């Protein structure tokens, strides 16, 4: 197991910070003074400290399988005590707009359907469709998000706030749905809204990591910045939004949360 400790000492359980996109991970790594790289399953796991807390940061890559592999390595090889996923998502519910943040209370795979053998969305033989996140970590992330969103210009500068029209961004808490599709048509996001009216946002990894963490009994939390409305405009400005807005939100949020830990 890779650890931050001297040989022979008990390993300190680390917290895993997982990002889906390169820009977000590099923003986190820039704040880790002592990171060391361990390469497993074609991924770079960066072990070090953030805000004085032992962490391992990794790029999951995109999609549910890639995310599940990453989570499994974190649990099996690094013995992490919690996994926090940060990244971007498409807004689904009315009022969940670009620049808002969503802290998940539950996650579901919107493209999983083994009916009529099992109920639609249920992970076969698990009895679950919706996987709950850890309440304490999610509460702390939500508190940090509210603080951050009170003054986005303090973090991003006024020009970025103007450019992306980030006026009065809000924090939402509730269901995030995941699937192996970038939702980029109004028809598809309408269909998701009809099928899952309480879904706040859609992305491509979170529910898979939630399932893995559930099976291992390890706390999981997810926080996403809304980069698009999962409609015909979803791809527009996406890359620039991730590097200019979401990556800075993610790292500021994770740092604020870690700073509150004992
Ligand atoms: N992540 C960010 N936006 C997304 C979208 N529209 N669909 C799926 N994943 C996303």
């Amino acid at each position: 197991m890779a650890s931050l400790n001297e040989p022979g000492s008990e390993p300190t359980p680390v917290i895993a910070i997982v990002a889906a996109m390169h820009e977000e991970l590099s923003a986190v790594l820039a704040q880790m003074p002592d990171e060391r790289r361990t390469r497993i399953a074609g991924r770079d796991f960066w072990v070090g400290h953030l805000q004085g807390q032992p962490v391992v940061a990794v790029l999951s890559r995109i999609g549910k399988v890639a995310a599940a592999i990453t989570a499994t390595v974190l649990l099996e090889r690094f013995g992490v005590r919690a996994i926090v996923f940060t990244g971007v998502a498409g807004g689904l519910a009315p009022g969940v707009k670009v620049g808002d943040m969503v802290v998940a209370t539950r996650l579901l795979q919107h493209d999983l359907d083994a009916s009529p053998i099992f109920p639609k969305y249920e992970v076969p033989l698990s009895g679950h469709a919706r996987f709950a996140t850890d309440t304490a970590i999610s509460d702390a992330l939500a508190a940090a998000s509210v603080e951050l969103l009170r003054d986005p210009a303090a973090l991003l500068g006024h020009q970025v706030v103007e450019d992306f029209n980030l006026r009065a961004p809000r924090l939402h808490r509730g269901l995030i749905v995941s699937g192996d599709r970038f939702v980029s048509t109004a028809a598809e996001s309408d269909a998701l809204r009809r099928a899952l009216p309480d879904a706040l946002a859609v992305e491509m990894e979170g529910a898979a990591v939630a399932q893995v963490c559930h099976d291992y009994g390890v706390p999981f939390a997810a926080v996403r910045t809304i980069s698009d409305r999962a409609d015909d405009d979803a791809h527009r400005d996406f890359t620039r939004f991730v590097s200019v807005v979401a990556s800075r939100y993610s790292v500021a949020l994770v740092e604020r949360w870690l700073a509150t830990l004992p």
Side-chain angles (χ1 to χ4, degrees), residues 88-90 181-184 202-204 227-228 230 234 238:
V88 289
R181 273 205 307 272
F182 187 83
V183 179
S184 58
V202 59
E203 37 86 316
M204 301 179 70
S227 55
D228 56 81
F238 178 82

